[in-house]
């Protein structure tokens, strides 16, 4: 009887697995193009024997993509890749028709600590006088980020602004004032965008104000009209984020699945800067306070 049970266990395991299951899971992609590297992200799943995928490209939101899996090889959109030594390696064609190479590393996240973080001393990231402590994603940022009346403001379209210092786990307080119909974003570790947008009459969604862009949807409406000062209080510990807008918690300890569009890089286990988006509309910032863990 014991031998029969072992036999059926082996058969059941073989039936449950499939040749392409080594491709399942989340992958942080780094794409190498002629102009340099940029980040991307891929998640592959299998349900009832059928493979599905969603991805984040160089910009924009996470989106579903048709995927074809054959053994250790995968195809999605213009991408073709294969599993090589635990990595995904492949090629693709970008929007301009250029051929690029990409490498994917499997997302491996440390287990979340059950201990309450020990918080350090709050630090003002913006001194209200100049851009000390900040740098630009593109040198052209010097021409369009400025300080006026103690407030940080952009002249769009403007490259992203980021802190010189990098952070892992933290509490972040940011006050902003957005022009009507404009939008911006706060990138946590330079990878995960908390959206700033003119909410207006729109319903809650992951692309609206306070959403983790494309991934996490706020549970409540807490935004003020565009043109008024508003405040975010954001806590990021590991890969779980809590977002409060104007004193109301709208995302509560939810896990961030992956990087969002326009992320600085896809090295998710590394610390990263705070990055402010400047190319989609005029936005003002003040009272940017960082409280890191000890």
């Amino acid at each position: 009887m014991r031998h029969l049970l072992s036999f059926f266990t082996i058969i059941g395991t073989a039936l449950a697995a499939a040749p392409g299951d080594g491709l399942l899971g989340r992958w942080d992609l780094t794409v190498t193009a002629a102009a340099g590297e940029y980040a991307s992200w891929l998640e592959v799943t299998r349900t009832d024997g059928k493979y599905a995928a969603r991805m984040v490209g160089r910009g924009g939101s996470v989106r579903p993509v048709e995927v074809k899996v054959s053994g250790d090889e995968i195809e999605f959109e213009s991408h073709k890749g294969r599993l090589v030594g635990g990595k995904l390696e492949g090629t693709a064609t970008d929007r301009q028709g250029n051929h690029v190479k990409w490498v994917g590393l499997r997302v491996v996240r440390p287990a979340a600590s059950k201990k309450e973080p020990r918080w350090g001393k709050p630090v003002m990231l913006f001194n209200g006088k100049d851009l000390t402590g900040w740098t630009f994603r593109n040198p052209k940022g010097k021409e369009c980020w400025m300080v006026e009346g103690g407030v940080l403001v952009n002249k769009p379209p403007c490259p992203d602004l980021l802190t010189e210092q990098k952070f892992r786990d933290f509490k972040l307080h940011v006050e902003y004032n957005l022009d009507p119909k404009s939008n911006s974003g706060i990138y946590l570790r330079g990878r995960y965008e908390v959206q700033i947008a003119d909410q207006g009459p729109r319903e809650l969604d992951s692309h609206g104000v306070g959403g983790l862009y494309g991934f996490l949807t706020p549970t409540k409406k807490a935004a003020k009209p565009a043109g008024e000062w508003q405040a975010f209080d954001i806590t990021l510990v590991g890969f779980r984020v809590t977002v409060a807008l104007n004193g109301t918690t709208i995302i509560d300890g939810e896990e961030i699945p992956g990087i969002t569009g326009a992320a600085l890089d896809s090295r998710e286990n590394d610390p990263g800067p705070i990055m402010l988006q400047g190319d989609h509309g005029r936005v003002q910032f003040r009272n940017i306070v960082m409280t890191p863990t000890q």
Side-chain angles (χ1 to χ4, degrees):
M1 185 66 176
R2 183 177 299 171
H3 295 298
L4 285 175
L5 287 174
S6 298
F7 172 77
F8 284 118
T9 299
I10 293 171
I11 294 299
T13 302
L15 290 174
D21 281 1
L23 297 166
L24 296 178
R26 296 171 179 170
W27 299 86
D28 285 328
L29 308 184
T30 299
V31 183
T32 302
E37 293 183 349
Y38 61 88
S40 186
W41 180 88
L42 175 71
E43 182 180 50
V44 183
T45 57
R46 182 170 70 93
T47 304
D48 297 330
K50 295 182 179 180
Y51 291 95
R54 57 178 182 165
M55 74 170 292
V56 174
R58 188 170 192 170
S61 181
V62 62
R63 64 184 187 275
V65 292
E66 293 187 5
V67 62
K68 179 181 178 181
V69 173
S70 177
D72 288 341
E73 297 183 350
I74 187 169
E75 294 185 30
F76 56 99
E77 293 194 332
S78 68
H79 297 65
K80 293 183 179 181
R82 66 190 304 268
L83 199 59
V84 180
K87 298 180 181 180
L88 277 178
E89 296 182 358
T91 59
T93 304
D94 65 17
R95 294 179 180 177
Q96 289 73 41
N98 302 312
H99 293 289
V100 299
K101 294 182 178 180
W102 55 271
V103 175
L105 300 180
R106 186 180 295 280
V107 176
V108 179
R109 293 181 169 179
S113 174
K114 295 182 180 180
K115 295 182 180 180
E116 180 67 22
R118 294 181 59 189
W119 299 106
K121 295 181 180 180
V123 178
M124 295 292 295
L125 296 183
F126 170 53
N127 63 19
K129 300 176 181 179
D130 54 37
L131 293 175
T132 299
W134 295 81
T135 187
F136 309 99
R137 191 168 189 173
N138 183 306
K140 292 183 179 180
K142 294 180 180 180
E143 304 170 7
C144 54
W145 282 101
M146 60 202 74
V147 180
E148 296 179 346
V151 172
L152 180 62
V153 62
N154 68 329
K155 184 179 179 182
C158 198
D160 301 330
L161 181 71
L162 56 148
T163 58
E164 294 177 346
Q165 191 172 354
K166 296 182 178 181
F167 307 94
R168 176 65 186 173
D169 296 342
F170 54 80
K171 293 191 290 188
L172 178 68
H173 176 86
V174 180
E175 296 176 16
Y176 73 92
N177 189 324
L178 187 73
D179 280 12
K181 298 182 180 181
S182 292
N183 79 76
S184 180
I186 303 168
Y187 280 76
L188 314 178
R189 299 184 194 138
R191 303 181 188 103
Y192 314 111
E193 181 186 7
V194 176
Q195 174 77 328
I196 293 176
D198 181 1
Q199 182 71 31
R202 70 184 291 171
E203 294 302 313
L204 294 171
D205 66 85
S206 63
H207 301 102
V209 59
L212 203 293
Y213 197 74
F215 282 120
L216 303 179
T217 298
T219 58
K220 300 175 183 177
K221 288 187 175 182
K224 298 177 182 179
E228 295 187 23
W229 282 101
Q230 311 194 52
F232 273 125
D233 287 283
I234 303 168
T235 302
L236 180 62
V237 177
F239 296 93
R240 292 193 173 275
V241 65
T242 295
V243 179
L245 176 59
N246 300 321
T248 298
T249 298
I250 58 176
I251 294 176
D252 192 2
E254 293 193 48
E255 182 187 8
I256 301 173
I259 65 170
T260 55
L264 281 175
D265 60 54
S266 59
R267 297 187 292 273
E268 291 197 73
N269 286 314
D270 290 353
I274 300 301
M275 184 168 72
L276 306 177
Q277 189 179 55
D279 60 343
H280 288 342
R282 185 175 180 272
V283 60
Q284 303 173 72
F285 294 98
R286 69 184 186 188
N287 295 335
I288 307 174
V289 184
M290 166 65 67
T291 304
T293 53
Q294 291 182 332

